[in-house]
Amino acid sequence: MRLDILFRLLFILYCVEAGLFLVMAPWSPVWDRNVLQIPLTALRTLALHPAARGAVSGFGLVHLVWGAHDLDALLALRRPRAQT
């Protein structure tokens, strides 16, 4: 049981870290510098397009929502149940 909780916490931590990175990275100057090193012009143009950046950020939001959902499920297991 404790190992299951540990794995859940590690997955939640992964989701939060990856989500924050994916939300913020496409809009940072580091993204521009790294993308400019891509030798294929078409791929470089696609990676710099705002829609592609938005898609990466959207994928990051999915990670954040997934992590929040798992955290809520983990906390629900720890809450005392109301008697009806």
Side-chain angles (χ1 to χ4, degrees):
M1 182 69 172
R2 286 186 173 243
L3 195 57
D4 179 52
I5 292 173
L6 176 66
F7 284 135
R8 280 181 165 223
L9 285 173
L10 288 174
F11 182 73
I12 291 166
L13 181 64
Y14 157 74
C15 284
V16 170
E17 286 183 11
L20 288 174
F21 175 76
L22 290 170
V23 166
M24 296 185 329
W27 307 104
S28 71
V30 175
W31 180 272
D32 295 334
R33 279 180 276 166
N34 286 335
V35 168
L36 289 176
Q37 296 177 9
I38 297 174
L40 300 172
T41 306
L43 185 59
R44 181 174 47 237
T45 304
L46 176 67
L48 289 173
H49 195 275
R53 292 177 182 211
V56 173
S57 292
F59 191 59
L61 288 175
V62 169
H63 274 75
L64 289 172
V65 169
W66 194 355
H69 177 267
D70 279 7
L71 180 61
D72 184 52
L74 182 64
L75 293 175
L77 292 175
R78 313 248 330 143
R79 284 187 212 126
R81 300 188 184 193
Q83 295 179 358
T84 56

